[in-house]
Amino acid sequence: MSKKKKIIIIVISTIIILIAILVGTYFFSLTATSNTPETVEFTVNQGDSKETIAENLKNAKLIRSKYATLVYILLSGNTNIQAGEYELDRSMSTQDIISILVNGDIIGTERPATRITFKEGITLEEYMRLLAENTDLEYDTIIAEVNDPEYLNTLINDYWFLTEDILNSDLYYGLEGYLYPETYDFYIDTTLDAAIRKMLDVTDLRLSEVRAQIEASDYSVHDILTMASIAEKEAVNAEDRAKVAQVIYTRLDMGMNLGMDVTTYYGVRKDMSEALTTVDLNDENPYNTRVASFIGLPVGPICNPSLESIEAVLNPSDTDYIYFFADILTGNVYFTNDYNEFLEFQRLYG
């Protein structure tokens, strides 16, 4: 056999092997993600693209591969996926899952649902209270369960943005700052885990939009969400939040105390409609940046921030302010790099 023929045979054989590997990988990617039955509540929203649906299925650990699923949808012709609430299982194959979504095997009205809106800037305690008021969940039970270290560890394993930072025992709540403020549909008889994962799935989608910026930052996800939560509480529009973020960075770089009232409110567990006392301002807790000796960021977020506030932290304004005064009554924020002017703002608007 000539050398040329041998080369041709080798090339053809290699191509056949590669094709076999690709085909094998493709079909393996369509198999169930688990051998153990595990029910997952899954939502297809009106207007969701096939790519979004596949990505959500992957995030919910219902499929092995987003791209293999998209290829299967295209090749099978099962493109008419219907919006609705579904009960899927991780022991199902991709083919079975897509068949259910195409046939519209939506959970019937025999399982009542409720819609809850979590506003930007509210705390985890407020989230849990709203869940308890609108579902069968009991507040005292879920407020303890949501902070269980064993439970938090299971979530860390499933979401890229959750790290061991949320296990810090100084945190009031490990998931504070990580539950994205949005309007959600829940079953009345939902479990806490199903509700938390539904919110974390949306957090995943929102943070994925800025993941490259987060990973390029000198700060951790936890730090970024902490700063974003402060900006969320201190200002009401994107421009002012970017300026607040700039002040935070400047003070951190200067080794200067942040001195922000919103951290005191959270630290002493007081509503912002109430006045802070001298005792509050001097309370030495891991959040209270008003304590003179407190340098650096609070131990964690003080609320659940919007994407706008997160983007403000990732893209702070190009200003040189050191001080600001936020007028809670009007929402106006006054910035300056002059301490005497800051004191004047306090006198005029405090």
Side-chain angles (χ1 to χ4, degrees), residues 228-269:
S229 70
I230 295 173
E232 183 78 46
K233 284 290 196 180
E234 291 283 12
V236 297
N237 61 61
E239 182 180 354
D240 283 347
R241 285 170 178 165
K243 291 176 182 176
V244 169
Q246 174 266 299
V247 172
I248 293 173
Y249 282 124
T250 297
R251 289 190 166 215
L252 291 174
D253 290 343
M254 294 172 65
M256 185 178 178
N257 173 277
L258 291 186
M260 296 182 180
D261 285 354
V262 292
T263 66
T264 308
Y265 276 108
Y266 187 86
V268 298
R269 301 173 183 268

Side-chain angles (χ1 to χ4, degrees), residues 302-337:
I302 60 173
C303 70
N304 293 280
S306 61
L307 182 60
E308 181 180 87
S309 291
I310 296 168
E311 289 176 329
V313 170
L314 294 171
N315 304 281
S317 66
D318 185 21
T319 47
D320 61 355
Y321 299 123
I322 302 175
Y323 310 97
F324 68 83
F325 183 81
D327 186 342
I328 296 175
L329 293 178
T330 65
N332 293 329
V333 187
Y334 304 92
F335 296 87
T336 181
N337 52 18

Side-chain angles (χ1 to χ4, degrees), residues 77-94:
N78 290 319
T79 58
N80 189 27
I81 293 175
Q82 300 186 46
E85 297 280 342
Y86 296 86
E87 268 191 1
L88 303 176
D89 200 291
R90 292 195 173 114
S91 63
M92 292 177 175
S93 68
T94 299

Side-chain angles (χ1 to χ4, degrees), residues 6-7 66 83 120 131 229 239 247 256 285 291:
K6 287 182 179 179
I7 293 173
K66 167 185 172 180
E120 296 91 344
L131 272 174
S229 70
E239 182 180 354
V247 172
M256 185 178 178
N285 61 67
V291 174

Side-chain angles (χ1 to χ4, degrees), residues 8-304:
I8 292 173
I9 291 173
I10 290 172
V11 170
I12 292 173
S13 299
T14 302
I15 292 173
I16 291 172
I17 291 170
L18 288 173
I19 291 173
I21 291 172
L22 289 172
V23 170
T25 301
Y26 169 71
F27 282 106
F28 175 74
S29 297
L30 300 181
T31 60
T33 60
S34 174
N35 294 322
T36 306
E38 186 177 356
T39 302
V40 177
E41 294 175 4
F42 185 78
T43 303
V44 176
N45 296 307
Q46 196 71 41
D48 278 356
S49 66
K50 303 298 184 297
E51 184 173 359
T52 296
I53 294 168
E55 185 172 350
N56 290 343
L57 287 169
K58 181 71 169 63
N59 290 338
K61 299 187 180 302
L62 285 162
I63 60 172
R64 293 181 181 273
S65 168
K66 167 185 172 180
Y67 298 104
T69 300
L70 289 171
V71 170
Y72 171 74
I73 291 172
L74 180 65
L75 293 178
S76 66
N78 290 319
T79 58
N80 189 27
I81 293 175
Q82 300 186 46
E85 297 280 342
Y86 296 86
E87 268 191 1
L88 303 176
D89 200 291
R90 292 195 173 114
S91 63
M92 292 177 175
S93 68
T94 299
Q95 294 98 317
D96 289 340
I97 288 172
I98 297 304
S99 175
I100 289 171
L101 300 183
V102 169
N103 291 330
D105 296 334
I106 301 167
I107 297 172
T109 55
E110 70 278 0
R111 192 178 180 194
T114 185
R115 177 165 292 181
I116 307 175
T117 297
F118 301 102
K119 295 181 180 179
E120 296 91 344
I122 68 172
T123 65
L124 181 140
E125 286 187 351
E126 293 173 280
Y127 271 61
M128 295 302 102
R129 195 167 288 112
L130 285 168
L131 272 174
E133 289 172 356
N134 291 278
T135 69
D136 293 337
L137 297 171
E138 295 184 3
Y139 178 79
D140 289 341
T141 301
I142 62 177
I143 200 67
E145 288 179 353
V146 77
N147 224 25
D148 177 65
E150 187 175 342
Y151 177 59
L152 294 177
N153 266 310
T154 66
L155 298 176
I156 289 173
N157 292 331
D158 293 342
Y159 294 93
W160 65 269
F161 51 89
L162 293 179
T163 68
E164 291 188 357
D165 285 329
I166 70 171
L167 300 176
N168 189 328
S169 60
D170 284 338
L171 292 168
Y172 291 172
Y173 298 103
L175 290 178
E176 188 76 85
Y178 291 89
L179 303 179
Y180 195 79
E182 184 68 86
T183 297
Y184 297 90
D185 291 320
F186 300 103
Y187 294 114
I188 298 294
D189 63 353
T190 185
T191 63
L192 175 65
D193 181 58
I196 292 296
R197 287 179 181 275
K198 176 169 283 195
M199 291 185 274
L200 289 176
D201 287 344
V202 175
T203 302
D204 193 354
L205 289 175
R206 298 294 176 264
L207 289 185
S208 291
E209 297 178 34
V210 291
R211 184 170 181 174
Q213 285 180 276
I214 291 173
E215 293 177 343
S217 171
D218 293 332
Y219 290 88
S220 67
V221 178
H222 192 72
D223 289 339
I224 289 168
L225 290 178
T226 298
M227 290 186 275
S229 70
I230 295 173
E232 183 78 46
K233 284 290 196 180
E234 291 283 12
V236 297
N237 61 61
E239 182 180 354
D240 283 347
R241 285 170 178 165
K243 291 176 182 176
V244 169
Q246 174 266 299
V247 172
I248 293 173
Y249 282 124
T250 297
R251 289 190 166 215
L252 291 174
D253 290 343
M254 294 172 65
M256 185 178 178
N257 173 277
L258 291 186
M260 296 182 180
D261 285 354
V262 292
T263 66
T264 308
Y265 276 108
Y266 187 86
V268 298
R269 301 173 183 268
K270 208 167 190 177
D271 188 87
M272 288 183 62
S273 62
E274 303 175 68
L276 290 173
T277 66
T278 301
V279 173
D280 294 333
L281 296 173
N282 293 319
D283 189 84
E284 294 189 2
N285 61 67
Y287 292 92
N288 188 9
T289 65
R290 282 296 304 271
V291 174
S293 60
F294 195 117
I295 303 299
L297 291 171
V299 67
I302 60 173
C303 70
N304 293 280

